[in-house]
Amino acid sequence: MNFTQLRCFIKAIDNSSFTIAAEQLNFSQSAVSKNIKDLENTIGVTLINRAHHRISLTNAGKYFYRVARNVVDDMDYTVAYLQSKKNDPETLVRIGVCDTPFEQKILPIFLRKLRESESNLNIQFVFVLNNSIGELLNHHVDLCAIAREDVDIIEDINFEPMVQGKIVMACPQGSKLAEKTEINISDLVGQDLFLLDPNSSLNVQLNFQTALINKLGMDHIKFVQDFLAMDIYVRGGWGYGVLPNFIADYQTEGIKYIPINYHEISPYGIAYMESFTNDSVLEKVISTLKSAINEYLFKNKNK
């Protein structure tokens, strides 16, 4: 497997065409096709459906595309950055994120505050859901925004908490439970609930979902693929969503988030290896991220 194969695969999918991919890469169409076929042979699975001059991703291809895209983007970004900053490569900081709605709101604030402070840090975000420990251990990221429960099994990883974890319920505006200030587990009996697919959930989410299923059974529980799907179903009035507070998007119209009367869960924050020794970078990232979170929560505390 090599970067040429990955680029051919990504370009073909991005353009839904081997021909256009070849033009953009300045390759022949047969060269693009061969590189992709060699890639499939190397990993032993079919990534692309080929039929009637149209291409589409297989299920394996959909998963592989996201990983391959991150790998190629990371390499391109790193090479370009190091070439432009030959004398100061340590200003590059790679932060692992889970791409939750909460992060989608706070990270732009974080970047704005960094720029306002005239920081020379160059931030690169890397998607790490379900592989946060591996990304840290392999030094693919320098810091990781994650729940402590997802990384605290490794002694060499330090953790700085940012948000105390709580389980909340996403309620459609005007629904019965949306009028409460706190929801008890008993309030959930007989309610249609949406939980996140275990394959795309943080450990802290999985632990609560397991406890909830053991308590309520599966009769009124459905799993959704991601946060966006949960948001759509809840706003459509089809039921209630259950998730940690550091995932929720408090700016979403048509949804109220009500805390569930359940013990506090693992906090959300920044994890990093003990071997990360650039204290000034660490202090800058943590203080700025805390400031961004506080600004976001303050603006939305009454929503």
PDB file of all heavy atoms in Angstrom, residues 83-118:
ATOM      1  N   GLN A  83       7.617  22.335   5.211  1.00  0.00           N
ATOM      2  CA  GLN A  83       8.362  23.032   4.164  1.00  0.00           C
ATOM      3  C   GLN A  83       8.295  24.546   4.342  1.00  0.00           C
ATOM      4  O   GLN A  83       9.247  25.257   4.031  1.00  0.00           O
ATOM      5  CB  GLN A  83       7.820  22.640   2.787  1.00  0.00           C
ATOM      6  CG  GLN A  83       8.189  21.220   2.373  1.00  0.00           C
ATOM      7  CD  GLN A  83       7.561  20.819   1.062  1.00  0.00           C
ATOM      8  OE1 GLN A  83       6.618  21.462   0.578  1.00  0.00           O
ATOM      9  NE2 GLN A  83       8.072  19.749   0.455  1.00  0.00           N
ATOM     10  N   SER A  84       7.164  25.026   4.843  1.00  0.00           N
ATOM     11  CA  SER A  84       7.010  26.472   5.028  1.00  0.00           C
ATOM     12  C   SER A  84       7.572  26.954   6.364  1.00  0.00           C
ATOM     13  O   SER A  84       7.817  28.135   6.561  1.00  0.00           O
ATOM     14  CB  SER A  84       5.532  26.865   4.940  1.00  0.00           C
ATOM     15  OG  SER A  84       4.799  26.316   6.015  1.00  0.00           O
ATOM     16  N   LYS A  85       7.787  26.009   7.285  1.00  0.00           N
ATOM     17  CA  LYS A  85       8.274  26.371   8.627  1.00  0.00           C
ATOM     18  C   LYS A  85       9.501  25.540   8.993  1.00  0.00           C
ATOM     19  O   LYS A  85       9.570  24.937  10.060  1.00  0.00           O
ATOM     20  CB  LYS A  85       7.160  26.123   9.663  1.00  0.00           C
ATOM     21  CG  LYS A  85       5.922  26.966   9.466  1.00  0.00           C
ATOM     22  CD  LYS A  85       6.134  28.387   9.914  1.00  0.00           C
ATOM     23  CE  LYS A  85       4.853  29.192   9.860  1.00  0.00           C
ATOM     24  NZ  LYS A  85       5.041  30.582  10.300  1.00  0.00           N
ATOM     25  N   LYS A  86      10.466  25.508   8.091  1.00  0.00           N
ATOM     26  CA  LYS A  86      11.617  24.632   8.288  1.00  0.00           C
ATOM     27  C   LYS A  86      12.346  24.912   9.586  1.00  0.00           C
ATOM     28  O   LYS A  86      12.925  24.027  10.198  1.00  0.00           O
ATOM     29  CB  LYS A  86      12.573  24.779   7.102  1.00  0.00           C
ATOM     30  CG  LYS A  86      12.026  24.203   5.810  1.00  0.00           C
ATOM     31  CD  LYS A  86      13.022  24.370   4.678  1.00  0.00           C
ATOM     32  CE  LYS A  86      12.450  23.808   3.376  1.00  0.00           C
ATOM     33  NZ  LYS A  86      13.397  23.992   2.245  1.00  0.00           N
ATOM     34  N   ASN A  87      12.356  26.134  10.002  1.00  0.00           N
ATOM     35  CA  ASN A  87      13.125  26.491  11.195  1.00  0.00           C
ATOM     36  C   ASN A  87      12.306  26.452  12.481  1.00  0.00           C
ATOM     37  O   ASN A  87      12.832  26.717  13.551  1.00  0.00           O
ATOM     38  CB  ASN A  87      13.721  27.891  11.023  1.00  0.00           C
ATOM     39  CG  ASN A  87      14.699  27.940   9.864  1.00  0.00           C
ATOM     40  OD1 ASN A  87      15.431  26.985   9.640  1.00  0.00           O
ATOM     41  ND2 ASN A  87      14.688  29.040   9.130  1.00  0.00           N
ATOM     42  N   ASP A  88      11.014  26.123  12.372  1.00  0.00           N
ATOM     43  CA  ASP A  88      10.171  26.154  13.573  1.00  0.00           C
ATOM     44  C   ASP A  88       9.071  25.101  13.494  1.00  0.00           C
ATOM     45  O   ASP A  88       7.894  25.407  13.594  1.00  0.00           O
ATOM     46  CB  ASP A  88       9.545  27.539  13.734  1.00  0.00           C
ATOM     47  CG  ASP A  88       8.891  27.715  15.097  1.00  0.00           C
ATOM     48  OD1 ASP A  88       9.248  26.957  16.018  1.00  0.00           O
ATOM     49  OD2 ASP A  88       8.017  28.581  15.227  1.00  0.00           O
ATOM     50  N   PRO A  89       9.420  23.818  13.320  1.00  0.00           N
ATOM     51  CA  PRO A  89       8.404  22.778  13.155  1.00  0.00           C
ATOM     52  C   PRO A  89       7.600  22.500  14.411  1.00  0.00           C
ATOM     53  O   PRO A  89       6.524  21.937  14.353  1.00  0.00           O
ATOM     54  CB  PRO A  89       9.229  21.548  12.755  1.00  0.00           C
ATOM     55  CG  PRO A  89      10.574  21.798  13.360  1.00  0.00           C
ATOM     56  CD  PRO A  89      10.776  23.288  13.284  1.00  0.00           C
ATOM     57  N   GLU A  90       8.087  22.906  15.594  1.00  0.00           N
ATOM     58  CA  GLU A  90       7.410  22.562  16.845  1.00  0.00           C
ATOM     59  C   GLU A  90       6.131  23.371  17.062  1.00  0.00           C
ATOM     60  O   GLU A  90       5.391  23.095  17.993  1.00  0.00           O
ATOM     61  CB  GLU A  90       8.358  22.745  18.024  1.00  0.00           C
ATOM     62  CG  GLU A  90       9.490  21.733  18.031  1.00  0.00           C
ATOM     63  CD  GLU A  90      10.368  21.868  19.255  1.00  0.00           C
ATOM     64  OE1 GLU A  90      10.165  22.823  20.021  1.00  0.00           O
ATOM     65  OE2 GLU A  90      11.248  21.017  19.438  1.00  0.00           O
ATOM     66  N   THR A  91       5.867  24.367  16.211  1.00  0.00           N
ATOM     67  CA  THR A  91       4.633  25.125  16.384  1.00  0.00           C
ATOM     68  C   THR A  91       3.425  24.367  15.849  1.00  0.00           C
ATOM     69  O   THR A  91       2.299  24.787  16.069  1.00  0.00           O
ATOM     70  CB  THR A  91       4.725  26.487  15.684  1.00  0.00           C
ATOM     71  OG1 THR A  91       5.013  26.296  14.303  1.00  0.00           O
ATOM     72  CG2 THR A  91       5.790  27.347  16.311  1.00  0.00           C
ATOM     73  N   LEU A  92       3.640  23.269  15.132  1.00  0.00           N
ATOM     74  CA  LEU A  92       2.534  22.439  14.663  1.00  0.00           C
ATOM     75  C   LEU A  92       2.010  21.601  15.821  1.00  0.00           C
ATOM     76  O   LEU A  92       2.772  20.881  16.472  1.00  0.00           O
ATOM     77  CB  LEU A  92       3.000  21.518  13.527  1.00  0.00           C
ATOM     78  CG  LEU A  92       1.990  20.453  13.071  1.00  0.00           C
ATOM     79  CD1 LEU A  92       0.762  21.116  12.454  1.00  0.00           C
ATOM     80  CD2 LEU A  92       2.639  19.491  12.093  1.00  0.00           C
ATOM     81  N   VAL A  93       0.704  21.687  16.101  1.00  0.00           N
ATOM     82  CA  VAL A  93       0.081  20.894  17.159  1.00  0.00           C
ATOM     83  C   VAL A  93      -1.112  20.145  16.556  1.00  0.00           C
ATOM     84  O   VAL A  93      -2.028  20.767  16.025  1.00  0.00           O
ATOM     85  CB  VAL A  93      -0.408  21.779  18.329  1.00  0.00           C
ATOM     86  CG1 VAL A  93      -1.030  20.916  19.423  1.00  0.00           C
ATOM     87  CG2 VAL A  93       0.744  22.599  18.892  1.00  0.00           C
ATOM     88  N   ARG A  94      -1.073  18.833  16.659  1.00  0.00           N
ATOM     89  CA  ARG A  94      -2.168  18.008  16.139  1.00  0.00           C
ATOM     90  C   ARG A  94      -3.068  17.590  17.301  1.00  0.00           C
ATOM     91  O   ARG A  94      -2.604  16.962  18.253  1.00  0.00           O
ATOM     92  CB  ARG A  94      -1.620  16.796  15.395  1.00  0.00           C
ATOM     93  CG  ARG A  94      -0.867  17.170  14.126  1.00  0.00           C
ATOM     94  CD  ARG A  94      -0.396  15.955  13.363  1.00  0.00           C
ATOM     95  NE  ARG A  94       0.553  15.180  14.143  1.00  0.00           N
ATOM     96  CZ  ARG A  94       1.102  14.033  13.719  1.00  0.00           C
ATOM     97  NH1 ARG A  94       0.777  13.554  12.549  1.00  0.00           N
ATOM     98  NH2 ARG A  94       1.971  13.392  14.481  1.00  0.00           N
ATOM     99  N   ILE A  95      -4.331  17.934  17.187  1.00  0.00           N
ATOM    100  CA  ILE A  95      -5.294  17.659  18.251  1.00  0.00           C
ATOM    101  C   ILE A  95      -6.327  16.653  17.750  1.00  0.00           C
ATOM    102  O   ILE A  95      -7.007  16.884  16.749  1.00  0.00           O
ATOM    103  CB  ILE A  95      -6.005  18.945  18.711  1.00  0.00           C
ATOM    104  CG1 ILE A  95      -4.975  19.967  19.201  1.00  0.00           C
ATOM    105  CG2 ILE A  95      -7.020  18.635  19.810  1.00  0.00           C
ATOM    106  CD1 ILE A  95      -5.584  21.293  19.621  1.00  0.00           C
ATOM    107  N   GLY A  96      -6.441  15.538  18.448  1.00  0.00           N
ATOM    108  CA  GLY A  96      -7.453  14.541  18.109  1.00  0.00           C
ATOM    109  C   GLY A  96      -8.820  14.976  18.598  1.00  0.00           C
ATOM    110  O   GLY A  96      -8.968  15.434  19.731  1.00  0.00           O
ATOM    111  N   VAL A  97      -9.820  14.869  17.737  1.00  0.00           N
ATOM    112  CA  VAL A  97     -11.193  15.241  18.085  1.00  0.00           C
ATOM    113  C   VAL A  97     -12.146  14.139  17.646  1.00  0.00           C
ATOM    114  O   VAL A  97     -11.801  13.308  16.815  1.00  0.00           O
ATOM    115  CB  VAL A  97     -11.604  16.586  17.432  1.00  0.00           C
ATOM    116  CG1 VAL A  97     -10.731  17.723  17.937  1.00  0.00           C
ATOM    117  CG2 VAL A  97     -11.518  16.488  15.904  1.00  0.00           C
ATOM    118  N   CYS A  98     -13.351  14.147  18.217  1.00  0.00           N
ATOM    119  CA  CYS A  98     -14.355  13.144  17.888  1.00  0.00           C
ATOM    120  C   CYS A  98     -15.445  13.689  16.963  1.00  0.00           C
ATOM    121  O   CYS A  98     -16.394  12.985  16.634  1.00  0.00           O
ATOM    122  CB  CYS A  98     -14.994  12.591  19.159  1.00  0.00           C
ATOM    123  SG  CYS A  98     -13.811  11.681  20.183  1.00  0.00           S
ATOM    124  N   ASP A  99     -15.328  14.963  16.574  1.00  0.00           N
ATOM    125  CA  ASP A  99     -16.260  15.587  15.625  1.00  0.00           C
ATOM    126  C   ASP A  99     -17.697  15.579  16.148  1.00  0.00           C
ATOM    127  O   ASP A  99     -18.638  15.369  15.398  1.00  0.00           O
ATOM    128  CB  ASP A  99     -16.182  14.891  14.265  1.00  0.00           C
ATOM    129  CG  ASP A  99     -16.800  15.728  13.153  1.00  0.00           C
ATOM    130  OD1 ASP A  99     -16.734  16.969  13.244  1.00  0.00           O
ATOM    131  OD2 ASP A  99     -17.349  15.149  12.195  1.00  0.00           O
ATOM    132  N   THR A 100     -17.872  15.800  17.449  1.00  0.00           N
ATOM    133  CA  THR A 100     -19.213  15.875  18.024  1.00  0.00           C
ATOM    134  C   THR A 100     -19.807  17.262  17.759  1.00  0.00           C
ATOM    135  O   THR A 100     -19.070  18.209  17.480  1.00  0.00           O
ATOM    136  CB  THR A 100     -19.170  15.632  19.539  1.00  0.00           C
ATOM    137  OG1 THR A 100     -18.423  16.706  20.151  1.00  0.00           O
ATOM    138  CG2 THR A 100     -18.507  14.300  19.859  1.00  0.00           C
ATOM    139  N   PRO A 101     -21.134  17.409  17.866  1.00  0.00           N
ATOM    140  CA  PRO A 101     -21.733  18.740  17.715  1.00  0.00           C
ATOM    141  C   PRO A 101     -21.137  19.760  18.679  1.00  0.00           C
ATOM    142  O   PRO A 101     -20.953  20.927  18.324  1.00  0.00           O
ATOM    143  CB  PRO A 101     -23.221  18.493  18.013  1.00  0.00           C
ATOM    144  CG  PRO A 101     -23.439  17.072  17.618  1.00  0.00           C
ATOM    145  CD  PRO A 101     -22.165  16.353  17.996  1.00  0.00           C
ATOM    146  N   PHE A 102     -20.843  19.338  19.885  1.00  0.00           N
ATOM    147  CA  PHE A 102     -20.236  20.234  20.876  1.00  0.00           C
ATOM    148  C   PHE A 102     -18.886  20.755  20.377  1.00  0.00           C
ATOM    149  O   PHE A 102     -18.602  21.952  20.437  1.00  0.00           O
ATOM    150  CB  PHE A 102     -20.066  19.476  22.199  1.00  0.00           C
ATOM    151  CG  PHE A 102     -19.485  20.290  23.328  1.00  0.00           C
ATOM    152  CD1 PHE A 102     -20.252  21.246  23.973  1.00  0.00           C
ATOM    153  CD2 PHE A 102     -18.181  20.086  23.755  1.00  0.00           C
ATOM    154  CE1 PHE A 102     -19.729  22.002  25.021  1.00  0.00           C
ATOM    155  CE2 PHE A 102     -17.647  20.819  24.798  1.00  0.00           C
ATOM    156  CZ  PHE A 102     -18.419  21.782  25.428  1.00  0.00           C
ATOM    157  N   GLU A 103     -18.062  19.855  19.860  1.00  0.00           N
ATOM    158  CA  GLU A 103     -16.757  20.269  19.348  1.00  0.00           C
ATOM    159  C   GLU A 103     -16.888  21.164  18.120  1.00  0.00           C
ATOM    160  O   GLU A 103     -16.102  22.093  17.917  1.00  0.00           O
ATOM    161  CB  GLU A 103     -15.907  19.045  19.024  1.00  0.00           C
ATOM    162  CG  GLU A 103     -15.427  18.305  20.246  1.00  0.00           C
ATOM    163  CD  GLU A 103     -14.634  17.067  19.934  1.00  0.00           C
ATOM    164  OE1 GLU A 103     -14.679  16.592  18.773  1.00  0.00           O
ATOM    165  OE2 GLU A 103     -13.962  16.553  20.839  1.00  0.00           O
ATOM    166  N   GLN A 104     -17.880  20.884  17.295  1.00  0.00           N
ATOM    167  CA  GLN A 104     -18.088  21.716  16.106  1.00  0.00           C
ATOM    168  C   GLN A 104     -18.407  23.160  16.481  1.00  0.00           C
ATOM    169  O   GLN A 104     -18.161  24.077  15.690  1.00  0.00           O
ATOM    170  CB  GLN A 104     -19.217  21.126  15.255  1.00  0.00           C
ATOM    171  CG  GLN A 104     -18.851  19.813  14.580  1.00  0.00           C
ATOM    172  CD  GLN A 104     -20.045  19.149  13.924  1.00  0.00           C
ATOM    173  OE1 GLN A 104     -21.097  19.775  13.749  1.00  0.00           O
ATOM    174  NE2 GLN A 104     -19.897  17.896  13.565  1.00  0.00           N
ATOM    175  N   LYS A 105     -18.937  23.359  17.674  1.00  0.00           N
ATOM    176  CA  LYS A 105     -19.254  24.716  18.134  1.00  0.00           C
ATOM    177  C   LYS A 105     -18.067  25.378  18.839  1.00  0.00           C
ATOM    178  O   LYS A 105     -17.799  26.558  18.641  1.00  0.00           O
ATOM    179  CB  LYS A 105     -20.455  24.677  19.082  1.00  0.00           C
ATOM    180  CG  LYS A 105     -21.736  24.153  18.445  1.00  0.00           C
ATOM    181  CD  LYS A 105     -22.195  25.030  17.295  1.00  0.00           C
ATOM    182  CE  LYS A 105     -23.507  24.514  16.724  1.00  0.00           C
ATOM    183  NZ  LYS A 105     -23.957  25.324  15.571  1.00  0.00           N
ATOM    184  N   ILE A 106     -17.364  24.611  19.677  1.00  0.00           N
ATOM    185  CA  ILE A 106     -16.322  25.239  20.498  1.00  0.00           C
ATOM    186  C   ILE A 106     -14.991  25.394  19.761  1.00  0.00           C
ATOM    187  O   ILE A 106     -14.235  26.331  20.065  1.00  0.00           O
ATOM    188  CB  ILE A 106     -16.100  24.475  21.821  1.00  0.00           C
ATOM    189  CG1 ILE A 106     -15.564  23.071  21.566  1.00  0.00           C
ATOM    190  CG2 ILE A 106     -17.365  24.444  22.654  1.00  0.00           C
ATOM    191  CD1 ILE A 106     -15.093  22.359  22.832  1.00  0.00           C
ATOM    192  N   LEU A 107     -14.698  24.519  18.814  1.00  0.00           N
ATOM    193  CA  LEU A 107     -13.380  24.587  18.174  1.00  0.00           C
ATOM    194  C   LEU A 107     -13.188  25.844  17.325  1.00  0.00           C
ATOM    195  O   LEU A 107     -12.083  26.420  17.322  1.00  0.00           O
ATOM    196  CB  LEU A 107     -13.121  23.317  17.359  1.00  0.00           C
ATOM    197  CG  LEU A 107     -12.967  22.043  18.201  1.00  0.00           C
ATOM    198  CD1 LEU A 107     -12.708  20.834  17.328  1.00  0.00           C
ATOM    199  CD2 LEU A 107     -11.854  22.200  19.246  1.00  0.00           C
ATOM    200  N   PRO A 108     -14.211  26.325  16.592  1.00  0.00           N
ATOM    201  CA  PRO A 108     -14.025  27.618  15.914  1.00  0.00           C
ATOM    202  C   PRO A 108     -13.763  28.763  16.896  1.00  0.00           C
ATOM    203  O   PRO A 108     -12.970  29.666  16.601  1.00  0.00           O
ATOM    204  CB  PRO A 108     -15.346  27.817  15.164  1.00  0.00           C
ATOM    205  CG  PRO A 108     -15.863  26.432  14.947  1.00  0.00           C
ATOM    206  CD  PRO A 108     -15.468  25.680  16.183  1.00  0.00           C
ATOM    207  N   ILE A 109     -14.428  28.729  18.054  1.00  0.00           N
ATOM    208  CA  ILE A 109     -14.173  29.751  19.078  1.00  0.00           C
ATOM    209  C   ILE A 109     -12.732  29.638  19.571  1.00  0.00           C
ATOM    210  O   ILE A 109     -12.036  30.638  19.760  1.00  0.00           O
ATOM    211  CB  ILE A 109     -15.157  29.597  20.253  1.00  0.00           C
ATOM    212  CG1 ILE A 109     -16.603  29.682  19.759  1.00  0.00           C
ATOM    213  CG2 ILE A 109     -14.896  30.661  21.318  1.00  0.00           C
ATOM    214  CD1 ILE A 109     -17.637  29.388  20.838  1.00  0.00           C
ATOM    215  N   PHE A 110     -12.293  28.409  19.782  1.00  0.00           N
ATOM    216  CA  PHE A 110     -10.914  28.137  20.205  1.00  0.00           C
ATOM    217  C   PHE A 110      -9.911  28.712  19.204  1.00  0.00           C
ATOM    218  O   PHE A 110      -8.953  29.403  19.593  1.00  0.00           O
ATOM    219  CB  PHE A 110     -10.745  26.625  20.338  1.00  0.00           C
ATOM    220  CG  PHE A 110      -9.325  26.141  20.423  1.00  0.00           C
ATOM    221  CD1 PHE A 110      -8.559  26.363  21.563  1.00  0.00           C
ATOM    222  CD2 PHE A 110      -8.745  25.431  19.372  1.00  0.00           C
ATOM    223  CE1 PHE A 110      -7.251  25.904  21.650  1.00  0.00           C
ATOM    224  CE2 PHE A 110      -7.447  24.973  19.444  1.00  0.00           C
ATOM    225  CZ  PHE A 110      -6.693  25.212  20.587  1.00  0.00           C
ATOM    226  N   LEU A 111     -10.139  28.479  17.901  1.00  0.00           N
ATOM    227  CA  LEU A 111      -9.227  29.000  16.883  1.00  0.00           C
ATOM    228  C   LEU A 111      -9.251  30.527  16.839  1.00  0.00           C
ATOM    229  O   LEU A 111      -8.211  31.178  16.677  1.00  0.00           O
ATOM    230  CB  LEU A 111      -9.594  28.424  15.514  1.00  0.00           C
ATOM    231  CG  LEU A 111      -9.339  26.925  15.320  1.00  0.00           C
ATOM    232  CD1 LEU A 111      -9.799  26.483  13.940  1.00  0.00           C
ATOM    233  CD2 LEU A 111      -7.866  26.582  15.526  1.00  0.00           C
ATOM    234  N   ARG A 112     -10.450  31.099  16.987  1.00  0.00           N
ATOM    235  CA  ARG A 112     -10.558  32.566  16.983  1.00  0.00           C
ATOM    236  C   ARG A 112      -9.767  33.167  18.137  1.00  0.00           C
ATOM    237  O   ARG A 112      -9.044  34.155  17.973  1.00  0.00           O
ATOM    238  CB  ARG A 112     -12.026  32.980  17.067  1.00  0.00           C
ATOM    239  CG  ARG A 112     -12.210  34.487  17.321  1.00  0.00           C
ATOM    240  CD  ARG A 112     -13.667  34.902  17.261  1.00  0.00           C
ATOM    241  NE  ARG A 112     -14.504  34.211  18.204  1.00  0.00           N
ATOM    242  CZ  ARG A 112     -14.580  34.500  19.498  1.00  0.00           C
ATOM    243  NH1 ARG A 112     -13.821  35.461  20.026  1.00  0.00           N
ATOM    244  NH2 ARG A 112     -15.395  33.827  20.292  1.00  0.00           N
ATOM    245  N   LYS A 113      -9.884  32.556  19.301  1.00  0.00           N
ATOM    246  CA  LYS A 113      -9.181  33.077  20.465  1.00  0.00           C
ATOM    247  C   LYS A 113      -7.662  32.926  20.319  1.00  0.00           C
ATOM    248  O   LYS A 113      -6.896  33.785  20.773  1.00  0.00           O
ATOM    249  CB  LYS A 113      -9.669  32.370  21.733  1.00  0.00           C
ATOM    250  CG  LYS A 113     -11.070  32.795  22.162  1.00  0.00           C
ATOM    251  CD  LYS A 113     -11.509  32.098  23.426  1.00  0.00           C
ATOM    252  CE  LYS A 113     -12.844  32.644  23.918  1.00  0.00           C
ATOM    253  NZ  LYS A 113     -12.734  34.041  24.385  1.00  0.00           N
ATOM    254  N   LEU A 114      -7.229  31.846  19.687  1.00  0.00           N
ATOM    255  CA  LEU A 114      -5.799  31.691  19.438  1.00  0.00           C
ATOM    256  C   LEU A 114      -5.291  32.808  18.536  1.00  0.00           C
ATOM    257  O   LEU A 114      -4.235  33.393  18.774  1.00  0.00           O
ATOM    258  CB  LEU A 114      -5.512  30.337  18.786  1.00  0.00           C
ATOM    259  CG  LEU A 114      -5.329  29.127  19.695  1.00  0.00           C
ATOM    260  CD1 LEU A 114      -5.019  27.899  18.851  1.00  0.00           C
ATOM    261  CD2 LEU A 114      -4.225  29.349  20.720  1.00  0.00           C
ATOM    262  N   ARG A 115      -6.053  33.092  17.483  1.00  0.00           N
ATOM    263  CA  ARG A 115      -5.625  34.145  16.566  1.00  0.00           C
ATOM    264  C   ARG A 115      -5.626  35.502  17.254  1.00  0.00           C
ATOM    265  O   ARG A 115      -4.726  36.314  17.046  1.00  0.00           O
ATOM    266  CB  ARG A 115      -6.539  34.169  15.349  1.00  0.00           C
ATOM    267  CG  ARG A 115      -6.316  35.373  14.470  1.00  0.00           C
ATOM    268  CD  ARG A 115      -6.318  35.148  13.016  1.00  0.00           C
ATOM    269  NE  ARG A 115      -5.758  33.966  12.493  1.00  0.00           N
ATOM    270  CZ  ARG A 115      -5.885  33.638  11.191  1.00  0.00           C
ATOM    271  NH1 ARG A 115      -6.572  34.417  10.397  1.00  0.00           N
ATOM    272  NH2 ARG A 115      -5.334  32.558  10.727  1.00  0.00           N
ATOM    273  N   GLU A 116      -6.639  35.773  18.059  1.00  0.00           N
ATOM    274  CA  GLU A 116      -6.711  37.053  18.768  1.00  0.00           C
ATOM    275  C   GLU A 116      -5.530  37.236  19.718  1.00  0.00           C
ATOM    276  O   GLU A 116      -5.095  38.365  19.970  1.00  0.00           O
ATOM    277  CB  GLU A 116      -8.028  37.144  19.536  1.00  0.00           C
ATOM    278  CG  GLU A 116      -9.253  37.314  18.641  1.00  0.00           C
ATOM    279  CD  GLU A 116     -10.557  37.229  19.419  1.00  0.00           C
ATOM    280  OE1 GLU A 116     -10.506  36.862  20.618  1.00  0.00           O
ATOM    281  OE2 GLU A 116     -11.623  37.510  18.840  1.00  0.00           O
ATOM    282  N   SER A 117      -5.024  36.126  20.236  1.00  0.00           N
ATOM    283  CA  SER A 117      -3.881  36.205  21.154  1.00  0.00           C
ATOM    284  C   SER A 117      -2.552  36.261  20.408  1.00  0.00           C
ATOM    285  O   SER A 117      -1.491  36.297  21.033  1.00  0.00           O
ATOM    286  CB  SER A 117      -3.872  34.989  22.087  1.00  0.00           C
ATOM    287  OG  SER A 117      -3.556  33.804  21.367  1.00  0.00           O
ATOM    288  N   GLU A 118      -2.630  36.254  19.059  1.00  0.00           N
ATOM    289  CA  GLU A 118      -1.441  36.295  18.207  1.00  0.00           C
ATOM    290  C   GLU A 118      -0.503  35.128  18.480  1.00  0.00           C
ATOM    291  O   GLU A 118       0.731  35.237  18.393  1.00  0.00           O
ATOM    292  CB  GLU A 118      -0.696  37.630  18.369  1.00  0.00           C
ATOM    293  CG  GLU A 118      -1.543  38.836  17.970  1.00  0.00           C
ATOM    294  CD  GLU A 118      -0.775  40.147  18.064  1.00  0.00           C
ATOM    295  OE1 GLU A 118       0.367  40.138  18.560  1.00  0.00           O
ATOM    296  OE2 GLU A 118      -1.323  41.168  17.617  1.00  0.00           O
TER     297      GLU A 118
END
